[in-house]
Amino acid sequence: MDFSLQLLPEQPLAELIEVIRLADELGYRACYSADETYHKDMWILFGAAAPRTSRIRFGPEVSGVILRDPTLIAQQAATLDELTGGRAEIVFSIGSLAAQVELFAAEVVPNLAGV
């Protein structure tokens, strides 16, 4: 059986990195985090944790293309994958469209089918 860790990155970065390091030491398969613009940046957190770990995989619970441009998410994931020696994972979604548009007063792109 595999175990993974889910984080909501709101604690101090040093504490979050230590939790990830311990999860790696204990043999956890992966660490997932919220990829939302109103929390600490997950991509930077995982990049900082990468050199302190050796096995644990990293990735978002889901990356919403309403909050971040998909090409930026792909660039961040590719950079994290290089930093971790191939241990990055990624999941894309349009997310909770209505809630995110209302919260951020974002314009809805008329055609998300190609995303």
Side-chain angles (χ1 to χ4, degrees):
M1 180 182 304
D2 291 333
F3 290 93
S4 296
L5 172 68
Q6 186 276 336
L7 295 174
L8 190 59
E10 295 183 342
Q11 297 81 9
L13 289 174
E15 290 178 22
L16 293 166
I17 291 168
E18 179 57 23
V19 167
I20 295 169
R21 188 204 61 74
L22 181 59
D24 182 64
E25 183 180 302
L26 293 172
Y28 280 57
R29 179 193 173 282
C31 179
Y32 301 106
S33 179
D35 183 19
E36 298 165 328
T37 55
Y38 38 89
H39 298 293
K40 289 183 179 159
D41 191 284
M42 174 206 77
W43 301 101
I44 293 174
L45 167 62
F46 288 164
R52 295 168 176 85
T53 63
S54 61
R55 294 179 309 273
I56 199 164
R57 299 183 64 78
F58 297 98
E61 295 166 341
V62 64
S63 288
V65 297
I66 296 298
L67 295 178
R68 296 182 194 259
D69 183 289
T71 58
L72 176 61
I73 298 168
Q75 179 188 36
Q76 292 168 314
T79 302
L80 182 62
D81 199 56
E82 184 176 338
L83 282 171
T84 62
R87 295 182 284 140
E89 299 179 1
I90 189 157
V91 176
F92 286 107
S93 171
I94 63 167
S96 177
L97 183 60
Q100 290 172 343
V101 168
E102 182 179 325
L103 182 63
F104 293 100
E107 290 184 29
V108 179
V109 179
N111 181 7
L112 291 176
V115 175

